[in-house]
Amino acid sequence: MMGIFKEQKTFDIIEIMFYTYGENIFHNYKIKEKIPKGNIKIKEGLNMKKSLLVIAILTLAITGLLAQSITFWTTETESNRMQRIQALATIFQAKTGINVKVVPVQENDLFSRLAASKAAGTLPDIMEAGIEPLVLLGTEGLMDTKLNAKVINDFGDIYTGVKRLLYAGNGKYYGIPFHAWVQGIWYHKNWFSKKGLAAPISWYNILEAAKELNDPAKGIYGIVLPKKADNYSEQVFTEVALANGARPFDAAGNVTLDTPQMIQAFKFYKELGKYSMPGFTTVLDALKGYLSGKAAMIFYSTYIMDDIAVQDVQESRIHSFDPNLVKNTGFANKMINVDTSSYGQVVGLGILSSSKNKTAAEKFAKFLMTGDNYIYWLHMAPGGMNPTRKSIATNPQFLNNPVLKRYGAQKIANIIAALDNIERFDFYKGKVVTQMSKLSANFVIGKAINLMFANDWTPEQTAKWAQKEALRVLGK
Amino acid sequence: MKSYPVGTLERKTVILGWKLIAPTVIIISLLILYPAVYNIYLSFFKVSLNPAIPNQFVGLKNYFGILSDPAFWRSFWVTIAFTLITVIGSMLLGLGVAIMMNRNFYGRSAVRALILLPYVTPLISSVFAWKYIFLPLNGPLVQFLASLHLMNPGTDIINNPNNAFIVVSFFNIWRNFPFVYLMILAKLQSIPSSLYEAAEMDGANWWRKFMSVTLPELYFVIASVALLRGIWNFYKFDEVYLLSKFAGTLPIYIYDTAFAGIPHQGIAASAATILFAVMIGLITVYVKRVLKW
């Protein structure tokens, strides 16, 4: 009786895998230009069938073993992403016999969910989240910083630029850098060359281009600058401020939002705002403005890459498709004034100190960041999710993706190279600045920018308000 | 005190009564009483997220922290203003619409159903619809008003932080008046027409009829609905937060103080207890004075 039940379960797993892989790996992006010869899809399909067979045999072999179980929280909550993660969890179970319960959690709900699950005694064993929550939880003693460090060291090829952002001191880490994106200015290269403008990297060139290309009478704007009180404003302002050497905290942890460098940054931002699309614009306005050719430049993360390249995705945003947009798009991955800055976000895996099954959690973390599994995960959002391991970034299999291919190996390599220079407000002089998370959660910088434009405040007034508000929020 | 001799019918009835209400009492205790008591208990602690670190007793520190914060008091008065404006606004609008809908006209049932739309539409979609029609340059309403030269098409009404309180109040009145309308209309239809006929025989005009017949008949409905709306709007979080981060009402203050970054459950619990005490006080006065229970 028991044996029949087990066999049935094995079949279910195989069925699930066929279903999920069938949905995703063979997913065909509609691209107007032809995909190069040598049909990858079929090859991938054959390989997959072989590995499924192997997996099936392995599953039969291990069903006799005691089933272990871990809980994995992920912030990738979209259904197609969940499907992929579920498929990976199923393969992991087939290989190791460890059952992974995948729980999707919105990043904004992460802390309240944690509080509830602590009370209920159902904390996860391992979670995937941005660096801010990982660091905050780490400072509360909730992360197994030693084990996270062990995984990082065992891999040995994780970029220094990304792992330092999760550094907890004494060789320990709040989390394992998993994937990352970079932010920069995406611009219509052809418009720039027509007017003889230089790439928008220095403050001077950015402002020149915005001024030159701004033509409101024709419904075309120099830029779409974030002006709302949200995270997007803070992310863009971070890049601007860091290019001027301005930071919200000094090395001693004092709030420094009203320094001359910061005031200059607000001044530049406000000046740039003159050539921006009207209204308190935000991230979707920027994306749509750029794709539909209403804005010359926008700040965006590398998540924009499939919006630019893939017909389906672009049409879902603006109901039309420009096949030449990839060719005509430039990406400025850094900004220069008195300093050079490049902003990005790292998403990490963190093993919790409260986990009762750390060996299994460690195995799962390593499974997710190895070979085909890792590439399968990263291809959930080609361009948006970039590998943090050198060996994967240079793996031809990673570049073997319709979207990434359209940009070419060189451009992808440039993007990944920028990961090594990511600068952030919450990381300074080798230390993680935990106070910054409180300011971000209260949108202090976003609110300052919003108020500056709404009330036509001077940069000095704005800086003064931001300083006061930051002190209030931090209870200083 | 009344005593029940053993085995009498009366005693059996009492026992049966207790048995019958027992499920309700147990469920209410589990679902309402336990969380409320646990919340008060938590408000005296610094609650740790880490299961390895026990909660730390801090006495009344959480309460003092909140009550001495000027931002709390500012939010408190903003919330009072928000509650008064939205309750009065939605009551007046709901009353007016209910009186109009109480008359017979062609297509009345269709109009009656349409009026309910703001209340029954999912919140998130109506918030987005509002944001959409007010979108600078492309918003339909903005384009319409701009074509009449009534506004500059580049104006962003919804996202301007200075408009936050007005936008949020206006939206709340628009969204909730159908509830008021529905309650009042139900009562209006049960007012016997003989009362109006009698008033007409006394020579009353429409205003006199409204003041002497309609309003007294509606008194308790209006008072109860105002109480409900008052309680709900005092605690309103979702739509206020979705529309603007600058509206500054108390639930937003609690969210910003307690849940931005690492959650401070103790502080949140004490804030909730303070609000609970304030509400109980206001409700008691209201019920005694206005509802005359």
Side-chain angles (χ1 to χ4, degrees):
Chain A
M1 192 62 197
M2 197 61 197
I4 296 167
F5 175 68
K6 275 180 187 165
E7 270 176 31
Q8 185 59 47
K9 201 175 166 192
T10 318
F11 273 112
D12 285 347
I13 290 170
I14 295 168
E15 265 176 35
I16 291 165
M17 285 190 299
F18 265 115
Y19 174 66
T20 38
Y21 271 103
E23 279 285 305
N24 288 294
I25 275 211
F26 308 141
H27 184 64
N28 184 14
Y29 285 115
K30 266 190 217 159
I31 295 179
K32 277 195 175 166
E33 283 170 29
K34 276 182 187 169
I35 297 173
K37 278 181 185 175
N39 203 328
I40 317 131
K41 284 181 289 172
I42 293 172
K43 270 191 204 162
E44 266 188 0
L46 282 174
N47 285 341
M48 203 43 72
K49 269 185 191 164
K50 263 189 214 164
S51 51
L52 281 179
L53 202 71
V54 176
I55 291 161
I57 293 163
L58 277 170
T59 316
L60 279 172
I62 50 132
T63 35
L65 297 171
L66 270 176
Q68 277 181 301
S69 179
I70 54 169
T71 306
F72 172 54
W73 280 17
T74 173
T75 46
E76 314 298 337
T77 52
E78 295 88 342
S79 67
N80 52 346
R81 293 188 187 177
M82 273 303 288
Q83 225 174 34
R84 279 195 175 215
I85 299 168
Q86 201 60 58
L88 286 169
T90 310
I91 297 173
F92 180 70
Q93 180 175 22
K95 280 186 172 167
T96 61
I98 300 163
N99 174 36
V100 181
K101 209 177 132 211
V102 184
V103 181
V105 180
Q106 290 279 357
E107 186 139 334
N108 289 336
D109 297 338
L110 192 67
F111 286 109
S112 44
R113 286 282 291 273
L114 269 172
S117 63
K118 181 232 161 185
T122 54
L123 281 172
D125 299 278
I126 173 168
M127 65 162 81
E128 182 236 18
I131 36 183
E132 299 92 337
L134 290 181
V135 166
L136 274 185
L137 292 172
T139 53
E140 290 284 298
L142 226 70
M143 285 294 157
D144 191 330
T145 47
K146 252 190 191 162
L147 188 55
N148 290 332
K150 179 178 176 282
V151 177
I152 290 178
N153 293 333
D154 286 354
F155 280 133
D157 64 344
I158 292 183
Y159 291 110
T160 324
V162 290
K163 72 180 178 195
R164 73 198 160 109
L165 300 174
L166 281 160
Y167 192 54
N170 297 326
K172 296 174 186 170
Y173 286 92
Y174 292 125
I176 310 148
F178 186 17
H179 51 89
W181 51 260
V182 202
Q183 171 185 279
I185 295 183
W186 299 83
Y187 60 102
H188 288 283
K189 226 165 39 182
N190 48 335
W191 301 8
F192 272 65
S193 53
K194 220 182 265 172
K195 294 230 172 188
L197 293 161
I201 291 174
S202 69
W203 273 19
Y204 179 81
N205 286 339
I206 296 168
L207 206 55
E208 270 304 296
K211 222 183 271 181
E212 203 52 45
L213 297 167
N214 191 43
D215 192 355
K218 284 190 185 155
I220 291 171
Y221 302 92
I223 192 165
V224 182
L225 200 65
K227 293 181 178 176
K228 237 182 121 173
D230 57 14
N231 286 326
Y232 178 50
S233 298
E234 181 182 314
Q235 288 168 2
V236 169
F237 185 73
T238 302
E239 199 178 337
V240 171
L242 288 171
N244 202 40
R247 295 183 160 278
F249 295 97
D250 64 12
N254 301 310
V255 181
T256 51
L257 278 163
D258 57 356
T259 58
Q261 291 96 317
M262 193 59 88
I263 291 171
Q264 277 170 359
F266 280 121
K267 195 176 172 190
F268 173 75
Y269 203 92
K270 201 182 168 195
E271 187 65 21
L272 200 53
K274 284 185 190 164
Y275 312 105
S276 175
M277 190 181 267
F280 298 93
T281 40
T282 182
V283 65
L284 261 182
D285 304 306
L287 179 64
K288 288 182 177 177
Y290 184 78
L291 295 177
S292 58
K294 283 182 189 158
M297 297 181 275
I298 60 160
F299 283 91
Y300 214 91
S301 74
T302 45
Y303 270 93
I304 201 176
M305 285 166 69
D306 60 346
D307 294 273
I308 291 177
V310 182
Q311 183 170 5
D312 281 0
V313 182
Q314 196 173 117
E315 279 175 351
S316 74
R317 305 279 192 199
I318 56 163
H319 310 294
S320 68
F321 177 65
D322 175 1
N324 293 321
L325 198 56
V326 174
K327 201 177 69 202
N328 291 331
T329 290
F331 177 51
N333 64 4
K334 59 183 174 204
M335 189 186 281
I336 300 173
N337 194 41
V338 298
D339 259 340
T340 306
S341 76
S342 138
Y343 178 84
Q345 166 71 316
V346 178
V347 177
L349 289 171
I351 300 170
L352 279 86
S353 53
S354 56
S355 166
K356 290 188 179 68
N357 214 336
K358 288 184 184 168
T359 336
E362 183 191 340
K363 267 188 200 162
F364 187 59
K366 286 182 171 167
F367 169 84
L368 286 181
M369 289 182 67
T370 305
D372 287 346
N373 312 324
Y374 195 13
I375 292 167
Y376 184 58
W377 178 295
L378 297 171
H379 285 177
M380 260 187 233
M385 293 181 177
N386 292 292
T388 51
R389 291 186 62 194
K390 208 173 180 177
S391 60
I392 300 292
T394 50
N395 186 333
Q397 203 57 38
F398 167 63
L399 293 167
N400 194 356
N401 169 278
V403 178
L404 299 181
K405 265 188 186 166
R406 292 214 61 195
Y407 286 89
Q410 188 53 46
K411 222 170 191 174
I412 303 298
N414 278 347
I415 287 169
I416 294 173
L419 291 181
D420 245 352
N421 305 313
I422 291 180
E423 290 288 337
R424 298 171 56 91
F425 280 164
D426 48 21
F427 181 80
Y428 187 38
K429 288 196 175 166
K431 268 194 203 153
V432 172
V433 185
T434 48
Q435 289 188 102
M436 188 58 215
S437 65
K438 191 86 186 168
L439 297 194
S440 298
N442 277 289
F443 306 102
V444 172
I445 289 170
K447 282 179 179 175
I449 287 167
N450 196 196
L451 288 166
M452 174 169 76
F453 286 109
N455 300 332
D456 198 18
W457 279 354
T458 62
E460 288 80 10
Q461 275 175 304
T462 313
K464 206 174 147 194
W465 183 89
Q467 175 80 6
K468 216 176 122 195
E469 179 70 1
L471 292 174
R472 186 189 73 78
V473 164
L474 296 169
K476 285 190 177 180
Chain B
M1 205 172 133
K2 208 171 176 183
S3 65
Y4 301 102
V6 183
T8 59
L9 197 60
E10 220 170 337
R11 186 188 148 91
K12 279 188 176 167
T13 316
V14 169
I15 291 172
L16 177 69
W18 274 108
K19 278 183 186 164
L20 288 176
I21 61 163
T24 318
V25 170
I26 291 168
I27 289 170
I28 288 183
S29 318
L30 280 177
L31 294 180
I32 296 173
L33 220 55
Y34 170 72
V37 172
Y38 187 64
N39 180 72
I40 295 172
Y41 164 81
L42 274 188
S43 69
F44 299 111
F45 286 86
K46 182 175 191 281
V47 182
S48 145
L49 250 195
N50 189 341
I53 301 167
N55 297 343
Q56 185 192 344
F57 181 78
V58 292
L60 290 171
K61 197 177 150 225
N62 291 335
Y63 288 92
F64 287 134
I66 287 177
L67 293 173
S68 61
D69 183 356
F72 168 81
W73 290 105
R74 197 166 50 240
S75 309
F76 181 81
W77 294 115
V78 168
T79 310
I80 297 281
F82 171 73
T83 310
L84 282 177
I85 289 171
T86 54
V87 170
I88 294 172
S90 62
M91 296 306 295
L92 288 177
L93 192 59
L95 178 66
V97 175
I99 289 171
M100 282 192 272
M101 287 302 124
N102 198 30
R103 299 183 180 183
N104 261 319
F105 60 89
Y106 182 71
R108 184 172 73 161
S109 45
V111 177
R112 275 186 180 177
L114 278 178
I115 288 173
L116 287 178
L117 271 182
Y119 192 67
V120 296
T121 315
L123 175 66
I124 188 76
S125 35
S126 42
V127 167
F128 274 96
W130 270 61
K131 286 190 170 178
Y132 173 68
I133 61 168
F134 281 106
L135 213 59
L137 301 181
N138 300 320
L141 189 63
V142 170
Q143 280 180 343
F144 173 70
L145 292 175
S147 69
L148 299 176
H149 301 286
L150 285 174
M151 69 180 279
N152 173 358
T155 318
D156 193 339
I157 298 171
I158 297 246
N159 293 314
N160 188 325
N162 301 320
N163 297 346
F165 185 79
I166 301 164
V167 167
V168 167
S169 304
F170 204 79
F171 181 87
N172 186 282
I173 293 172
W174 169 81
R175 180 167 167 79
N176 292 310
F177 90 85
F179 172 80
V180 178
Y181 143 84
L182 200 65
M183 297 293 135
I184 293 180
L185 185 63
K187 178 67 196 171
L188 273 179
Q189 292 185 328
S190 71
I191 300 177
S193 53
S194 57
L195 289 179
Y196 290 105
E197 285 158 12
E200 271 168 30
M201 281 170 64
D202 290 341
N205 60 9
W206 69 270
W207 175 248
R208 186 77 207 162
K209 276 192 281 181
F210 174 74
M211 292 304 285
S212 306
V213 180
T214 315
L215 218 49
E217 285 287 319
L218 289 179
Y219 181 83
F220 286 102
V221 176
I222 292 179
S224 323
V225 173
L227 175 65
L228 279 178
R229 281 253 59 90
I231 296 173
W232 290 336
N233 286 359
F234 194 78
Y235 289 122
K236 190 56 87 189
F237 176 77
D238 44 7
E239 61 190 49
V240 177
Y241 197 71
L242 282 172
L243 275 166
S244 175
K245 297 197 172 65
F246 288 94
T249 57
L250 266 180
I252 307 239
Y253 166 84
I254 295 177
Y255 182 81
D256 282 349
T257 323
F259 293 109
I262 286 283
H264 300 290
Q265 291 174 78
I267 295 175
S270 55
T273 310
I274 293 169
L275 289 199
F276 180 67
V278 170
M279 271 325 257
I280 289 286
L282 288 178
I283 292 170
T284 314
V285 173
Y286 187 87
V287 163
K288 280 204 172 144
R289 291 278 166 82
V290 182
L291 292 179
K292 296 165 188 152
W293 285 353

